[in-house]
Amino acid sequence: MPTQTPARDRPEDIDVEALASEYDEERPARHLSPRVDRFVRLWFFAVALFVLHQVFMPLELGSQFYLVLFLAVTLPAVFVCYRARVSRRDPAPADGNGEGTGTGSGPRKDDPGVVDWLLAGIALLICLYPVLPVPQSSLGFGGFEGFLDRQGSLLVIDVTAGLILLVLVLEATRRTTGLVLPAVCLVFFAYAYYGGFLPISWAVAHPGVNIDQIVNALYNEASGFFGVPLDVAATYIVLFTIYGAVLDRMGAGRFFVEFSFSLFRKSGTAPGRTVATSGFLLGTVSGSGTATAVTLGSFAWPILKRAGYPREAAGGMLAASGIGAILSPPTLGAAAFIIAEYLKVSYLEVLAWAMVPTLLYYLGIFLAVEIDARRFGARRVDLDLGSPLRLLARSGYHFISLGVIVFFLAVDVPPFRAVVYATAVAALFGLGEALLSRRLPETAAPGMPGAGGTTEAQVPQQDRTSSLADYGRRLFDALAGGLRSGLPVVAVCAAAGVITSTIAKTGLGQILSDVLVSAAEAIAPNDASVLVLTTLFSALAILVLGLAVPVTASFILSWVIIGPALITLGAGGPEVAMFIFYYAVLSEVSPPTALAAVASAAITGGRVIPTMMQACKYTLPAFLAPMAFVMSDNGHLLLGRGAFTGVLGATAVCAAAVAALAVVTTGWMFGPTSRVERLLCAPAALFLLYLEPISVTIGGALLATAVLVHLAVRRKRSAAETAEASAL
């Protein structure tokens, strides 16, 4: 890993898409030649229309039939769009003329080869095998109903097709996310088959499952490839990625950043505040922490540099703000939809659970931002953006589609329809803007880096026609690009079926959770300590797991293995689910990988490891606060589950804990702090996060003592400085 990356001080030096793909948790995709790229975009556009059609006119043969078709039109595309071998120095993206942009190792052709096309063809045939309308015989087939009728007694050709699909799914997952998740899936597969050969005295031993039964569970039952994870990807996640792409292509991303800058432009801490606010708003567009950090950095880094922020501090701030995007309503990350399915609750409930934790997360960032601005002596940066009201009047309609999602969820419209309505609203507003003014999508607003201004209102008819054509291209690209960006999640969700089906067949999840609890019981003296230790072990396990696999896979694995342990000890399902979700997300800023921080360092030119440490500083409250969900019986209050006064009180207590942690990590309260104040604030925060009356009282007393000591020291120091000045 490099210790220093080249600085990119100007927005035109930053290729957002190339950086986002290079450092995102999913592997970089190919940069296709224009001809192949046109074919791929047409394919994904057709798939997007198919997905939208399913929302309002579902296929008569049911959900599993749709999932078979969905996998058939997406899995082959992975072999076309992703390389068999991955290098960090990728070829430069081709522009419209097929020439490289110069951001990679040099322009070169990066199209799929013969083997890739062959794998894509085999994947298409194998995925469609269960639904092919071929008359049934001893060889198999018989259409979808015939395939289902053979459940539990598959023919040889069924088993063969299932094994081939397993290999293809694992290879697609390897191409999109790396070796770790496929290796984990193979371990689970081997455990299902060879578990019967383990000594009977071992806790993990089981009677064993033969190949026919394993393939039946993977290929023909609802717990395998076509289980809950893929169902969520096909009915929720891809629709939200399309929505985010449409919102972005209509200019929402640039507006969110400009609006955030305009809100705080008169403050010395404006650049830092803007980064935090923009990260929250941009999360509604990208849904990816690393992509949000890169997009935000392309706008914000030149401003942060002018304000006087060191490169590493700026990179850490960008990474922390970007990761917050996955934790923030109304979109959250892909795992949030899986939470709703696993717990059988509405997605609106999951959004409600995330409200207070999101506020606590950004409170920690804002406090650190305010403190750092004073420590670094950040300078005011004047930007000619106009007033926030003017920007709202011009482009505030981008907020409306977000409200549309919440409104339809509130009136019990399913999330997959609510997001389609929101997408339509965003597209219609984009059309209205194209009709009213000529749109120049590559030009920044006045005062922003690279600004050139825009031409509005009265434009010639040919320019209006050009604007409409540009709008059509952007909408087409949004539908195709939104579907394409969801390919890694589709591969991960299909591969997750290997894990979930194995656990369902063998009961491994409960066995491992019992081992985890037993380890805590061997150390802890009482039940409360057992829960605390199990929570700590679980958090560490999720973070380590998240270093190697994407957030969605990390959540699914942790839910089936760690979730039962915490629930057994008395924690509620929602609290456990959100605890696992937050730690799975936070693994993106956890050293030594911390891809969001690496991407931010690539923008600022800062040293990678110090940038990771700065990101950890900003996110430390987020690492500790989720433990409050499950360590105490009152943890449910932080998810908004309980009386309003209780929720308000728990929020206030945890806000005080976040403030105490900010003092510990930054060494600043109302001014520089001494070691004594920081030593008092550290246990104060931990006691406050354990939401029991005695613990809260102790934590509050420690924090109050730290504040009094700090004020006394400041007063004494001020008096000494005054006396010294008088003596002079």
Side-chain angles (χ1 to χ4, degrees), residues 15 186 314 340 356 386 390 567 570 639:
D15 188 328
L186 288 175
V356 172
R390 178 179 175 274
I567 292 174
L639 305 186

Side-chain angles (χ1 to χ4, degrees), residues 8 391 463 532 588:
R8 293 176 168 90
L391 285 174
D463 288 337
V532 171
E588 283 203 29

Side-chain angles (χ1 to χ4, degrees), residues 174-196:
R174 185 195 67 82
R175 291 188 180 208
T176 54
T177 63
L179 280 169
V180 175
L181 183 57
V184 171
C185 291
L186 288 175
V187 169
F188 274 84
F189 185 91
Y191 170 74
Y193 184 73
Y194 291 107

Side-chain angles (χ1 to χ4, degrees), residues 299-348:
F299 289 104
W301 163 235
I303 310 300
L304 292 172
K305 183 182 179 184
R306 287 165 58 188
Y309 279 85
R311 297 181 185 275
E312 289 78 14
M317 187 188 306
L318 292 171
S321 300
I323 290 303
I326 311 179
L327 305 173
S328 306
T331 52
L332 298 178
F337 301 99
I338 298 178
I339 291 175
E341 287 297 311
Y342 279 165
L343 296 181
K344 303 301 180 185
V345 299
S346 69
Y347 182 63
L348 185 61

Side-chain angles (χ1 to χ4, degrees), residues 53-366:
H53 178 276
Q54 175 69 11
V55 172
F56 298 101
M57 289 178 282
L59 299 174
E60 293 182 359
L61 292 179
S63 173
Q64 188 168 344
F65 182 75
Y66 165 66
L67 293 180
V68 170
L69 295 181
F70 178 80
L71 191 61
V73 294
T74 53
L75 185 64
V78 173
F79 300 104
V80 176
C81 295
Y82 287 82
R83 310 180 189 96
R85 292 184 178 183
V86 178
S87 171
R88 278 297 181 199
R89 287 188 60 80
D90 297 315
D95 61 17
N97 300 317
E99 298 293 328
T101 61
T103 58
S105 58
R108 66 179 176 85
K109 189 176 180 181
D110 191 30
D111 287 342
V114 175
V115 173
D116 300 308
W117 287 112
L118 181 62
L119 289 175
I122 294 174
L124 179 64
L125 178 63
I126 292 298
C127 289
L128 289 177
Y129 166 76
V131 300
L132 290 176
V134 178
Q136 185 167 346
S137 65
S138 59
L139 294 178
F141 293 94
F144 185 60
E145 293 182 356
F147 182 73
L148 292 183
D149 288 342
R150 297 195 295 275
Q151 188 174 103
S153 56
L154 299 183
L155 301 175
V156 173
I157 190 173
D158 298 329
V159 176
T160 304
L163 290 174
I164 294 174
L165 181 58
L166 171 65
V167 173
L168 291 171
V169 166
L170 295 183
E171 170 61 11
T173 307
R174 185 195 67 82
R175 291 188 180 208
T176 54
T177 63
L179 280 169
V180 175
L181 183 57
V184 171
C185 291
L186 288 175
V187 169
F188 274 84
F189 185 91
Y191 170 74
Y193 184 73
Y194 291 107
F197 297 100
L198 296 175
I200 195 65
S201 59
W202 289 16
V204 294
H206 64 85
V209 186
N210 62 39
I211 291 294
D212 290 1
Q213 292 174 314
I214 295 174
V215 173
N216 184 77
L218 289 175
Y219 199 31
N220 202 294
E221 295 181 0
S223 63
F225 296 133
F226 309 113
V228 170
L230 185 63
D231 189 20
V232 169
T235 55
Y236 296 103
I237 296 172
V238 294
L239 292 172
F240 273 83
T241 60
I242 290 173
Y243 166 66
V246 170
L247 204 58
D248 185 42
R249 294 302 197 282
M250 298 303 126
R254 184 176 293 275
F255 162 70
F256 290 151
V257 175
E258 293 172 1
F259 180 67
S260 300
F261 270 103
S262 70
L263 283 175
F264 305 115
R265 56 182 178 165
K266 295 182 180 180
S267 167
T269 58
R273 293 178 183 177
T274 298
V275 168
T277 306
S278 301
F280 171 75
L281 293 175
L282 283 173
T284 62
V285 178
S286 73
S288 165
T290 303
T292 300
V294 171
T295 303
L296 180 57
S298 67
F299 289 104
W301 163 235
I303 310 300
L304 292 172
K305 183 182 179 184
R306 287 165 58 188
Y309 279 85
R311 297 181 185 275
E312 289 78 14
M317 187 188 306
L318 292 171
S321 300
I323 290 303
I326 311 179
L327 305 173
S328 306
T331 52
L332 298 178
F337 301 99
I338 298 178
I339 291 175
E341 287 297 311
Y342 279 165
L343 296 181
K344 303 301 180 185
V345 299
S346 69
Y347 182 63
L348 185 61
E349 284 190 67
V350 180
L351 293 184
W353 297 343
M355 292 299 293
V356 172
T358 299
L359 292 175
L360 294 174
Y361 181 84
Y362 280 100
L363 173 63
I365 293 181
F366 268 97

